[in-house]
Amino acid sequence: MPLTEEQINILRDAITIYHFPCVYYDFENEHEVSCPIMAPVEESIRNDLISGDNHNVKNGLSNVLYWGFAQVGFRDTRVTIFRSKVTNDQLDEAAALFQDQNNIILSHIKNIKLPQFSGMSFVSKIAMFINPNKYAILDKQILKMKHTPVQTLLDEISFCNSETRIRISKNNDRVYSNWCNKCKEISSLYFNGLYRTVDIERGFFTLIQNGNVIPAAEILSNA
């Protein structure tokens, strides 16, 4: 059944109050940049990722980690490991792959074997920063909707509680694509296209973070 007005308002409010550290790192001048909103963070990281230059791509990928791990203590360690282990060949391959901003396939990124980018959570973050209009993040927070009595498209993803990361596979690639398409569809059907794919995902993320997993799953199921 379609979303009720109450559900539309719940999701709209969640999108509006979404909050995550709006930060990235300036590797040229060696300092953190803190922004009042996400837009300049997205622009900086996206520009580096799609630059076609492996030096800039390295900084962009480093900042995907820097932003994604902004709330955990081992962030700097993860960034340092990536920057010390990634090779020029890997960066060249990534730079070429990121040129097609409308056809990002997670398994293709995974196959480059970039350090720290083996699971869906952070590989989907790359896709999101490259094209937030089309791609969203799918991580273990979002996947909490899979573990409810409510049936959603996320039920089809292959993941068990003993796993530490969401595997990137042919099946999970398909579910990820369906998830992104559903977020885009929700914006189109219920918000006249006002929100990007990533904004809808951030609304679900906020609901889940605030303990409203079942209402979030009901919205996803009904939309």
Side-chain angles (χ1 to χ4, degrees):
M1 70 180 107
L3 296 183
T4 65
E5 282 298 318
E6 182 182 10
Q7 288 176 317
I8 294 169
N9 290 332
I10 287 170
L11 184 56
R12 181 189 290 111
D13 290 344
I15 293 167
T16 302
I17 66 171
Y18 166 81
H19 177 73
F20 198 83
C22 301
V23 295
Y24 66 94
Y25 195 80
D26 181 342
F27 288 96
E28 308 307 317
N29 297 298
E30 300 183 341
H31 68 86
E32 181 178 273
V33 179
S34 180
C35 305
I37 57 175
M38 271 298 295
V41 177
E42 293 172 357
E43 182 179 9
S44 177
I45 296 176
R46 179 178 185 272
N47 286 343
D48 277 344
L49 290 174
I50 67 171
S51 67
D53 175 84
N54 68 4
H55 174 78
N56 292 336
V57 170
K58 181 178 182 178
N59 289 343
L61 289 168
S62 299
N63 269 315
V64 174
L65 296 169
Y66 190 88
W67 175 81
F69 284 127
Q71 295 181 306
V72 296
F74 52 75
R75 173 189 63 188
D76 293 350
T77 300
R78 293 296 183 91
V79 174
T80 299
I81 290 171
F82 168 76
R83 293 181 69 81
S84 65
K85 290 190 174 183
V86 70
T87 68
N88 284 330
D89 285 346
Q90 287 172 322
L91 292 170
D92 287 340
E93 193 172 350
L97 191 62
F98 298 164
Q99 295 305 295
D100 189 355
Q101 299 151 37
N102 291 307
N103 190 31
I104 300 297
I105 299 173
L106 301 191
S107 57
H108 291 180
I109 300 176
K110 177 197 170 188
N111 290 342
I112 302 174
K113 298 182 179 179
L114 295 162
Q116 305 297 312
F117 289 97
S118 59
M120 183 171 287
S121 174
F122 273 86
V123 175
S124 68
K125 286 178 175 66
I126 295 174
M128 179 275 290
F129 276 114
I130 290 174
N131 189 345
N133 292 307
K134 185 172 182 179
Y135 301 108
I137 295 169
L138 206 173
D139 58 13
K140 289 198 289 185
Q141 283 293 322
I142 294 297
L143 213 57
K144 286 181 179 180
M145 289 187 283
K146 173 181 169 69
H147 305 295
T148 70
V150 182
Q151 290 187 332
T152 74
L153 61 87
L154 297 175
D155 291 349
E156 296 182 17
I157 207 161
S158 298
F159 181 76
C160 62
N161 290 331
S162 62
E163 294 181 275
T164 58
R165 60 176 59 88
I166 306 169
R167 284 174 283 129
I168 296 175
S169 62
K170 184 175 180 180
N171 175 70
N172 289 356
D173 252 352
R174 177 184 59 81
V175 177
Y176 173 72
S177 180
N178 291 342
W179 162 242
C180 292
N181 289 339
K182 176 57 71 174
C183 288
K184 187 172 185 177
E185 180 184 289
I186 289 171
S187 178
S188 176
L189 288 177
Y190 297 102
F191 301 103
N192 294 316
L194 175 65
Y195 299 116
R196 304 168 302 171
T197 296
V198 69
D199 297 323
I200 299 296
E201 174 258 307
R202 288 171 180 172
F204 282 107
F205 178 87
T206 300
L207 288 173
I208 294 163
Q209 283 256 294
N210 291 339
N212 298 310
V213 182
I214 290 180
E218 289 172 343
I219 291 171
L220 180 59
S221 179
N222 291 349

